[in-house]
């Protein structure tokens, strides 16, 4: 790896040698680097996903990836992997790409929660607010979380407006 850091196979070899030593964190890091190199294959990405999804049994996770038929399921698995790996910034970046294709309150919930976990309360509040403007089954939850984060930020007017939307959306009392 030191002599040829741009060779994918070197990083993969390092990852597998670390796995044999039960050093899962360094194995995952090496596999992550291999998956980011230009010659990385789809299999490299699947292996990395498996490592992140199964921190207690990474070898088993490599086989599970073969069972993923739909792209939506793959997106859900990738999001889950990022959550488990506590990679909030990468999660935000990934969800932003999904939002650009098709906005949904559920995606804004994930984005807002990631910002919240990073301590970025204003960004979390903005994400929840954006989610509350898109029709979907989690719209009300976006209003609620927007209000709660605004309350935590002591932004009383925004909190009041978000909570008021819970009772005024579509002219119904909830």
């Amino acid at each position: 790896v030191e002599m040829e850091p741009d060779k994918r196979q070197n990083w993969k070899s390092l990852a597998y040698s670390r796995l044999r030593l039960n050093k899962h964190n360094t194995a995952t890091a090496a596999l992550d680097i291999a998956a980011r190199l230009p010659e990385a294959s789809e299999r490299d990405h699947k292996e990395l996903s498996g490592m992140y999804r199964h921190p207690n049994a990474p070898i088993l996770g490599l086989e599970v990836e073969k069972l993923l038929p739909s792209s939506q399921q793959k997106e859900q698995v990738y999001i889950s992997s990022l959550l488990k790996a506590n990679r909030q910034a990468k999660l935000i970046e990934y969800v932003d790409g999904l939002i650009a294709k098709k906005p949904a309150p559920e995606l804004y919930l994930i984005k807002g929660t990631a910002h919240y976990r990073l301590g970025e309360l204003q960004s979390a509040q903005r994400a929840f607010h954006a989610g509350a403007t898109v029709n979907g089954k989690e719209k009300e939850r976006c209003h609620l979380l927007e209000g709660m984060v605004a309350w935590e930020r002591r932004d009383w007017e925004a909190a009041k407006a978000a909570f008021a939307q819970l009772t005024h959306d579509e002219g119904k009392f909830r």
Side-chain angles (χ1 to χ4, degrees):
V1 172
E2 287 181 19
M3 294 173 60
E4 296 179 299
D6 59 336
K7 300 291 183 198
R8 177 184 61 87
Q9 193 55 45
N10 294 345
W11 288 103
K12 288 187 75 163
S13 295
L14 177 62
Y16 295 133
S17 68
R18 295 296 182 206
L19 277 176
R20 283 191 290 276
L21 297 171
N22 288 323
K23 297 187 180 224
H24 300 291
N25 289 340
T26 55
T28 303
L31 202 54
D32 195 319
I33 292 169
R36 293 172 190 269
L37 291 173
E39 73 234 24
S41 67
E42 184 176 342
R43 181 175 178 191
D44 293 328
H45 295 114
K46 288 179 180 181
E47 288 176 352
L48 180 61
S49 174
M51 292 285 286
Y52 282 135
R53 281 185 308 148
H54 298 279
N56 297 325
I59 301 301
L60 295 175
L62 300 178
E63 295 302 312
V64 173
E65 194 68 36
K66 297 175 186 172
L67 305 173
L68 302 175
S70 72
S71 63
Q72 184 178 11
Q73 189 175 5
K74 287 181 182 181
E75 289 170 356
Q76 291 170 349
V77 167
Y78 189 67
I79 288 170
S80 176
S81 299
L82 291 172
L83 284 168
K84 287 179 183 178
N86 200 26
R87 298 191 61 188
Q88 306 303 326
K90 182 72 176 167
L91 177 63
I92 292 166
E93 179 185 325
Y94 182 72
V95 170
D96 276 340
L98 297 176
I99 289 170
K101 293 176 191 173
K102 186 176 180 188
E106 296 79 9
L107 294 173
Y108 284 106
L109 280 173
I110 294 167
K111 180 179 178 178
T113 301
H115 278 298
Y116 186 85
R117 289 178 177 171
L118 289 171
E120 299 169 349
L121 299 184
Q122 189 171 10
S123 295
Q125 184 179 338
R126 280 195 303 265
F128 293 136
H129 178 77
T133 65
V134 179
N135 286 327
K137 67 180 183 176
E138 297 294 341
K139 182 176 180 173
E140 289 82 14
R141 187 178 296 177
C142 286
H143 281 304
L144 176 65
L145 292 175
E146 175 192 3
M148 291 173 70
V149 173
W151 187 273
E152 188 172 338
R153 291 185 59 236
R154 300 187 185 284
D155 185 349
W156 311 124
E157 291 302 314
K160 180 180 172 183
F163 291 141
Q165 286 299 314
L166 289 171
T167 58
H168 291 92
D169 272 0
E170 301 172 17
K172 298 177 183 175
F173 183 76
R174 298 179 195 267

